[in-house]
Amino acid sequence: MAASPGPAGGGGAGAAHGSGPSGLAFDSGLEIKTRSVEQTLLPLVSQITTLINHKDNTKKSDKTLQAIQRVGQAVNLAVGRFVKVGEAIANENWDLKEEINIACIEAKQAGETIAALTDVSSLNHPESDGQITIFRDKTGVIKAARLLLSSVTRVLLLADRVVIKQIIRSRNKVLATMERLEKVNSFQEFVQIFSQFGNEMVEFAHLTGDRQNDLKDEKKKAKMAAARSVLEKCTMMLLTASKTCLRHPNCESAHKNKEGVFDRMKVALDKVIEIVTECKPNGENDLSSVSIFTGIKEFKMNIETLRENLYFQSKETLSAMLEALLERTEDFTDCAYTSHEHRERILEVSAQARTELQQLISVWIQAQSRKTKSIAEELELTILKISHNLNELKKELHSTAAQLAADLLKYHADHVVLKALKLTGVEGNLEGLAEYACKLSEQKERLVETCRLLRHVSGTEPLEITCLHAEETFQVTGQQIISAAETLTLHPSSKIAKENLDVFCEAWESQISDMSTLLREISDVFEGRRGEKYGYLSLPKPMKNSANLRSLKADKPDSEEQAKIAKLGLKLGLLTSDANCELEKWEDQENEMVLYGRNMSSMAYSLYLFTRGEGPLKTYQDLIHQLEVFAEEGLKLASSVQAFSKQLKDDDKLMLLLEINKFVPLCHQLQTIIKTPLQNQVFLKVDKCITKARSMMAVLVQLLSLCYKLLKKLVENSRWVSVPTMDGT
């Protein structure tokens, strides 16, 4: 949710009352707890509002009334927890205290009202048939539910403002310390300031990591991940580059190297603030305007509207769209590394697209004046032809970019140029430096151009952003490696200059590795093996839940740990089989509930394989990342099931909503366990996570079974209703 962050400085009246890292961390924790309680509370409120959406004379069984009372009590308890957290936030932020407290009081009153109005004991007038009316005060519950939703939303918006201001203030502290680091002249002073800088960066990482996890927009999440990746890697670069400058104060290349690190960190810090405040700078390019695949998608959508509306747009607009799209293919045809065969094929398919569009326009004009079946069929045929042509263009562009990237990665896998630069540096060989710096520049330009081509064919916005991040990283890091190598060549006996060059070379090698993963995921998207809703391994994930991941082992479980988690995984494997059996019953395998259920089952199977020391998950970090996606997928499934429940009758709806109410808290509990730091207790965290995932799968099996039965019942009832009676009515 967006909230106005107030002044960019964030340190005035809008600042949190608590000061220092501990105060900030406390506030951030409160905001996380607020969201957790809210996620439990809002589905319950939704249940109340759907349960009372019935005809006034509808009667309910005792069982239904008891269920309604349980939901009402659950709402009141959740509201109580929510209010406590809200009041704690108010006490830490005096400028917002009055607003938050008023909203909390309203929420508490609404929760108590709902509990009172859903109390079965207050309905003591049984009807003659043994059943009683659901509510005597239906409007009172509706009013209380609306008040509750309104007050909860206000508290969350206010809490959001608190967090945004915290991030802005934390950024400002980091910038202020960076300015001091830029001007430092002695090692002793540098060590003291850098220690403070490190603490401030950890605080900033915590705040932005929590914010990244809360973002719903995948595009913003990818941008945040990229900015935070830059900050993490540049922190180590800043250390060695600054030390090199202090050791060699008169070396121009050392100063150039250091300035490059500071500049990139400042840009990344500003990018984080742009994301959290939703302030888009003037002139920022929209990624969709430069992606050929996005252009093709938009063009196809426009021509397909002609089936419904022949006057939706002009011929000139369509022609201009196609020309703009084909103009972007010049990035491929003008690329020096594109093969002759690929270039000729791209030009051929592009020319064919222009011809197909002219044919479409000709038929389109005829269709506007002649409303005949034959002309409509001809229009449909021309639409299909140009769509097929554009699909062929996509295939050719993807093949070109993927081949270039694969060849480049294979050629540079051994990092010969980096090794040569290190050797020329320690030898003080200036001629060798010039030769290999030129080769690295050529390699950099080729990598940057390849990233640009991959960006055109990436297929999703998060991957487009990852391509842009890779492009920028190669561009900047390439220059910094050369300046670091120059410094070492001028001072070949300098240990700190050698260490500095090693750090930049490691960043380059890491980005090469990430590019390999990126290429694989782009191919997965193109071939339909991965969609927008999945997580991408290539998206930068530095310092995500940094308090947790730093404490997690990067290696595999040892033999003792493997034996313990193998016991945990056995039941998980059986539940995966049960879930698959339930999913196979569904006739419609494209049903959204089936898709989410299958995703969860597949991920649970990967977790099971991990407990056996097998499968794609190799380390504890891999496991935690998979569990994060697993929990998110569970919430998406719950949302889909809740949407399905709106088609059901009251008793069936209540039965399903109660099952959802078992499932959703488990998803949130898993997310909380993942976020909770457990230093030196890695196995305990893993144990809790797998146990919680196992509980989720057990409920998932029941939920899928119930959904299948209710959907079958719904379909059968609709068929029965449609059967004519004996008198033909």
Side-chain angles (χ1 to χ4, degrees), residues 209-224:
D210 290 335
R211 189 68 180 182
Q212 181 180 323
N213 291 335
D214 286 336
L215 289 171
K216 300 296 185 287
D217 187 317
E218 292 298 321
K219 186 175 176 180
K220 289 180 182 176
K221 188 173 283 192
K223 285 183 177 180
M224 178 72 89

Side-chain angles (χ1 to χ4, degrees), residues 465-673:
I465 291 162
T466 310
C467 290
L468 180 61
H469 170 70
E471 185 181 330
E472 292 171 348
T473 299
F474 284 127
Q475 190 73 263
V476 175
T477 309
Q479 291 296 333
Q480 289 177 317
I481 288 173
I482 292 170
S483 61
E486 184 180 344
T487 303
L488 178 59
T489 308
L490 294 171
H491 307 278
S493 60
S494 173
K495 291 183 179 179
I496 183 58
K498 183 178 183 301
E499 180 188 352
N500 187 47
L501 177 57
D502 286 341
V503 167
F504 284 97
C505 287
E506 285 170 10
W508 180 275
E509 291 169 9
S510 173
Q511 192 58 56
I512 290 284
S513 176
D514 289 346
M515 186 175 174
S516 178
T517 306
L518 172 62
L519 175 59
R520 186 168 63 251
E521 292 182 336
I522 288 173
S523 295
D524 285 347
V525 170
F526 182 77
E527 293 167 16
R529 294 195 298 266
R530 185 184 292 271
E532 292 253 18
K533 60 180 177 291
Y534 297 97
Y536 298 96
L537 293 173
S538 64
L539 286 179
K541 294 177 285 292
M543 301 191 293
K544 187 176 182 181
N545 299 331
S546 53
N548 308 334
L549 294 187
R550 280 198 305 274
S551 65
L552 287 178
K553 295 184 180 181
D555 56 351
K556 296 180 180 180
D558 59 34
S559 57
E560 184 181 349
E561 291 170 342
Q562 193 69 63
K564 290 179 180 177
I565 61 175
K567 296 178 182 177
L568 290 172
L570 183 58
K571 179 65 174 174
L572 190 60
L574 295 172
L575 287 168
T576 301
S577 298
D578 292 342
N580 288 337
C581 288
E582 290 297 334
L583 290 164
E584 286 169 7
K585 295 178 184 177
W586 294 62
E587 292 180 12
D588 181 10
Q589 288 293 309
E590 294 302 311
N591 185 292
E592 197 174 61
M593 292 181 284
V594 173
L595 294 176
Y596 287 132
R598 200 172 294 286
N599 291 341
M600 291 189 70
S601 179
S602 176
M603 285 185 275
Y605 187 68
S606 294
L607 299 176
Y608 162 65
L609 290 177
F610 178 84
T611 65
R612 292 168 50 110
E614 302 170 4
L617 308 178
K618 303 300 183 185
T619 67
Y620 283 132
Q621 287 191 17
D622 293 340
L623 178 71
I624 291 298
H625 176 59
Q626 181 79 97
L627 285 162
E628 285 180 312
V629 180
F630 181 74
E632 290 169 4
E633 207 71 4
L635 291 172
K636 291 175 183 176
L637 171 69
S639 177
S640 180
V641 174
Q642 199 155 15
F644 166 63
S645 71
K646 294 177 182 177
Q647 305 174 43
L648 306 175
K649 293 183 179 179
D650 283 354
D651 285 349
D652 290 342
K653 182 186 296 184
L654 177 60
M655 192 188 317
L656 187 55
L657 290 174
L658 289 174
E659 283 299 316
I660 297 172
N661 200 40
K662 295 177 188 175
F663 185 69
V664 171
L666 290 172
C667 298
H668 295 312
Q669 288 162 20
L670 177 58
Q671 289 180 324
T672 301
I673 294 169

Side-chain angles (χ1 to χ4, degrees), residues 22 46 131 154 161 201 237 293 389 409 414 431 484 486 516 531:
S22 59
S46 175
Q131 294 185 326
R154 278 161 51 206
R161 283 170 55 188
M201 283 299 295
M237 294 176 183
F293 272 27
N389 176 266
L409 289 169
D414 51 5
E431 289 184 5
E486 184 180 344
S516 178

Side-chain angles (χ1 to χ4, degrees), residues 2-6 8 164 168 211 272-280:
S4 175
I164 291 172
I168 293 172
R211 189 68 180 182
V272 169
I273 300 305
E274 288 169 15
I275 295 165
V276 299
T277 59
E278 299 185 346
C279 294
K280 188 175 180 179

Side-chain angles (χ1 to χ4, degrees), residues 183-200:
K183 299 172 184 176
V184 73
N185 293 315
S186 71
F187 268 109
Q188 185 178 2
E189 185 183 3
F190 173 78
V191 170
Q192 291 175 348
I193 299 174
F194 191 83
S195 176
Q196 177 188 340
F197 174 75
N199 290 333
E200 290 170 354

